[in-house]
Amino acid sequence: IGQPQQFYNYLKKSLNLVYAETFCDHYSYTQDDIEKIVKKARELNVDTIITTQKDEVKIKQYVKNISAINFLSMKQWFVLCA
């Protein structure tokens, strides 16, 4: 998605968006990246992380053993919602 701020603003209309982080296109995620995202989610007491379908495929191997957090596929960002 070319303009992440517009997407975040859209989400804010219906969700309690508490944090958003944008990664560059074609980013190669690591286990450490996912652990940092999950840690941030837990610090903020959120239970949902939104990412793109494309990135879901890339991170699937890293989230298998993560419990208490839901990963929802959307477009190109990790978004934490309470």
Side-chain angles (χ1 to χ4, degrees), residues 1-52:
I1 297 176
Q3 297 178 349
Q5 191 58 48
Q6 286 182 346
F7 179 68
Y8 300 150
N9 291 340
Y10 173 77
L11 290 177
K12 287 177 185 178
K13 291 178 183 177
S14 58
L15 300 171
N16 180 17
L17 178 64
V18 295
Y19 178 81
E21 186 168 345
T22 304
F23 291 85
C24 62
D25 200 19
H26 304 290
Y27 185 79
S28 295
Y29 298 97
T30 65
Q31 180 71 41
D32 189 54
D33 292 326
I34 304 309
E35 288 173 4
K36 286 177 183 175
I37 292 166
V38 170
K39 180 181 179 196
K40 184 72 169 180
R42 289 185 174 138
E43 287 171 359
L44 295 171
N45 198 34
V46 300
D47 59 8
T48 302
I49 296 174
I50 299 174
T51 187
T52 65

Side-chain angles (χ1 to χ4, degrees), residues 31 34-35 38 42 49 62-71:
Q31 180 71 41
I34 304 309
E35 288 173 4
V38 170
R42 289 185 174 138
I49 296 174
Y62 303 122
V63 299
K64 291 178 184 174
N65 297 319
I66 297 174
S67 61
I69 294 184
N70 303 305
F71 283 78

